[in-house]
Amino acid sequence: MATATLLSHEIAEGQRLIDALNAANLSVDSALWNYAPEPETWRLMLTSPLYDREGSLKTYGEILSVFREVKPELKIDWTALVAVSPKHDLIEGLRQIQQDWNLDLSGRRMTNDRINQTWVEDAYIYQIK
């Protein structure tokens, strides 16, 4: 069970970052806060086609470049950002759920579930494309 609480201001700040990334033409296909039981922290997972084209370092660099430019300054820890491929198992599993059940998972919370062999203790989903 999650011991760290994801606060509404963190959800709002994550949305501000996603909006800034999209405005900067760094397309964010999918985004979600995901609770990592070890070391008991929340991670903001972001997927972009850039990850598969240019790799993780280039993607992180682009994300951090936009992160630093957001005004007023974002009140989330940049070390919580995780860039992953749009082909990541969790993202593909969530995408499949949306297709199979004709759902839009945007704005939903998910707790204690297994998605595509990945255990999700707690998550807040912004968007899955």
Side-chain angles (χ1 to χ4, degrees), residues 64-81:
L64 290 176
S65 175
V66 172
F67 182 93
R68 289 185 203 105
E69 297 300 317
V70 176
K71 301 294 181 219
E73 185 176 300
L74 288 165
K75 294 179 177 81
I76 53 177
D77 185 351
W78 67 269
T79 64
L81 304 178

Side-chain angles (χ1 to χ4, degrees), residues 8-9 16 18 30 36 47 56 93-94 121:
S8 60
H9 83 272
R16 285 183 56 222
I18 293 162
S30 300
T47 72
S56 61
L94 291 169
E121 189 163 327

Side-chain angles (χ1 to χ4, degrees), residues 49-118:
L50 180 65
Y51 187 96
D52 290 338
R53 284 193 317 269
E54 302 286 337
S56 61
L57 288 178
K58 174 76 171 170
T59 306
Y60 276 116
E62 294 291 327
I63 290 170
L64 290 176
S65 175
V66 172
F67 182 93
R68 289 185 203 105
E69 297 300 317
V70 176
K71 301 294 181 219
E73 185 176 300
L74 288 165
K75 294 179 177 81
I76 53 177
D77 185 351
W78 67 269
T79 64
L81 304 178
V82 179
V84 298
S85 168
K87 298 173 186 165
H88 186 280
D89 284 345
L90 175 58
I91 301 303
E92 284 193 336
L94 291 169
R95 194 177 296 121
Q96 191 64 49
I97 288 170
Q98 286 190 144
Q99 278 184 330
D100 291 350
W101 296 95
N102 195 28
L103 289 174
D104 181 2
L105 296 175
S106 299
R108 293 187 186 221
R109 198 76 182 245
M110 179 174 287
T111 57
N112 299 321
D113 209 344
R114 183 169 303 283
I115 307 297
N116 219 15
Q117 304 304 319
T118 302

